[in-house]
Amino acid sequence: MHKFLRSIGFGAYRRKKEIAGLLNELEKTATKRRRIQIETDSNLCEIRAEVAPGMGLALVGETDEHGVFQREYYYPYLLSSDVSSNVTCSIQRHTEKETFAGLLDETRVGISLIFYLDNGFEYMERKLDHVSRKVTAVKLTGLSTEGKVLLPLYKTTKQIKKAQVAAKDRNNLLEAARNGDEDAIETLTIEDIDMYSQISRRVLKEDIYSIVESSFMPSGIECDQYSVIGEIVQIEEKSNGLTHETVYDLTLNCNDMIFHVGIAQRDLMGEPMVGRRFKGQIWMQGVAAFEEGGDNE
């Protein structure tokens, strides 16, 4: 079974036989179907079964000569309407199957951010039609199987504005450093040394979560899973239409980057409220917006 199936309200489905029955039922009732002909004797078919607005299961496979859908794999998805990043994004195919990963060189989180491309079917369509696959924006979402709600940090308006200016200045320095600016590299090195010194002193007397307001770090050996701490800026409760489980759709601000996280109510410890923070491990997905028109690059 898919590890993050429970993130969209299917926590009760644990056995392969139960999941197979669920998928078979969704195949019959789903209304969103797409099919593309890859080669003369090969095609790809995607079925989207929505169990709540913007949330559901994607089933991918092939249609045989009798028109019968042969499922190859499936995955849960959560959609977002908020643009998370406009930086350069490259897309590469996974080795195992016709799925894709996106790579964002995002300075705000300090790492090269890798995500599972949720609209890989559209990417393949554009490739076959020789249409531009240049990415103009990415809407990120994450699915989580376990999380906690942390209390917010108390900050004055002056401190918030100061932090925003500092973050903007640091992003500018990081961009300059990437372009080979030696002065920027030296400034960042000095800032990192000062920051390390301050944290070393504070951690002796303060809790680590009162020092670290937000974080975004790779987790485990899979490249699209991360451990995050982010401020909750919006909460939406969704009900799985089949199981009636409640799923939280949390909009997070993490290192000044906005993205959504879906987690079942039963898997979240604490009561989420705007201003509080979410801490947990997520599987990052993303929908890429492509350049309109133009020839394929």
Side-chain angles (χ1 to χ4, degrees):
M1 65 170 286
H2 199 288
K3 178 182 176 182
F4 293 93
L5 196 61
R6 65 183 297 119
S7 303
I8 62 169
F10 289 111
Y13 291 82
R14 299 183 181 182
R15 298 179 181 177
K16 288 184 178 180
K17 189 175 181 180
E18 294 174 340
I19 296 169
L22 169 67
L23 297 177
N24 291 335
E25 185 63 30
L26 291 175
E27 282 179 24
K28 298 175 185 176
T29 58
T31 56
K32 296 181 179 180
R33 298 169 182 264
R34 301 170 75 182
R35 181 177 176 273
I36 54 175
Q37 197 71 31
I38 300 175
E39 296 175 358
T40 307
D41 57 348
S42 177
N43 63 75
L44 190 69
C45 184
E46 180 190 68
I47 298 175
R48 293 244 166 182
E50 197 170 75
V51 296
M55 183 179 80
L57 282 170
L59 298 84
V60 184
E62 189 174 2
T63 304
D64 63 20
E65 62 272 17
H66 303 293
V68 179
F69 177 70
Q70 303 293 332
R71 184 176 64 247
E72 295 180 11
Y73 64 92
Y74 71 95
Y75 64 91
Y77 68 86
L78 176 69
L79 300 178
S80 165
S81 58
D82 298 315
V83 173
S84 302
S85 178
N86 298 104
V87 302
T88 303
C89 176
S90 59
I91 296 174
Q92 292 188 7
R93 182 188 183 275
H94 288 130
T95 304
E96 183 185 359
K97 49 184 178 282
E98 289 285 350
T99 57
F100 301 87
L103 173 65
L104 291 169
D105 199 13
E106 185 57 73
T107 57
R108 289 176 293 178
V109 295
I111 58 173
S112 294
L113 195 157
I114 299 173
F115 63 92
Y116 183 95
L117 185 66
D118 185 35
N119 60 330
F121 199 91
E122 180 186 355
Y123 179 80
M124 290 188 64
E125 279 185 321
R126 298 180 76 90
K127 182 179 179 181
L128 292 170
D129 294 339
H130 303 287
V131 179
S132 174
R133 286 170 284 150
K134 182 179 180 181
V135 179
T136 57
V138 176
K139 300 174 182 180
L140 295 173
T141 58
L143 295 178
S144 177
T145 58
E146 185 180 2
K148 299 177 182 178
V149 176
L150 304 179
L151 292 174
L153 296 180
Y154 174 76
K155 293 187 295 183
T156 63
T157 304
K158 184 178 180 181
Q159 288 174 320
I160 293 172
K161 289 182 178 179
K162 186 178 179 181
Q164 290 174 343
V165 171
K168 185 177 180 180
D169 291 343
R170 182 172 176 82
N171 287 337
N172 291 335
L173 284 170
L174 284 168
E175 190 63 35
R178 289 176 187 272
N179 295 327
D181 189 324
E182 292 185 4
D183 291 337
I185 295 172
E186 184 178 348
T187 301
L188 286 169
T189 303
I190 295 171
E191 285 185 358
D192 287 344
I193 293 172
D194 291 342
M195 186 183 297
Y196 177 80
S197 178
Q198 291 177 22
I199 292 173
S200 298
R201 290 195 303 269
R202 290 182 60 184
V203 79
L204 297 173
K205 299 180 181 180
E206 299 179 47
D207 182 85
I208 186 67
Y209 296 120
S210 67
I211 302 171
V212 180
E213 182 178 1
S214 65
S215 69
F216 197 100
M217 296 177 60
S219 177
I221 60 174
E222 293 190 56
C223 55
D224 53 9
Q225 295 192 24
Y226 301 91
S227 178
V228 302
I229 301 175
E231 181 186 354
I232 301 172
V233 295
Q234 187 175 332
I235 304 166
E236 183 181 354
E237 290 188 16
K238 296 184 176 182
S239 178
N240 184 308
L242 294 178
T243 64
H244 304 293
E245 283 191 45
T246 300
V247 174
Y248 288 123
D249 180 355
L250 306 176
T251 306
L252 301 186
N253 183 340
C254 183
N255 291 17
D256 204 31
M257 186 175 72
I258 300 294
F259 60 93
H260 288 236
V261 169
I263 183 170
Q265 186 181 48
R266 63 161 76 179
D267 293 329
L268 182 62
M269 183 183 295
E271 183 181 356
M273 292 180 64
V274 173
R276 292 182 179 179
R277 292 176 292 169
F278 169 85
K279 175 183 179 292
Q281 183 177 329
I282 64 170
W283 172 46
M284 187 64 83
Q285 302 177 335
V287 172
F290 298 102
E291 181 181 54
E292 291 296 330
D295 295 329
N296 191 15
E297 296 181 348

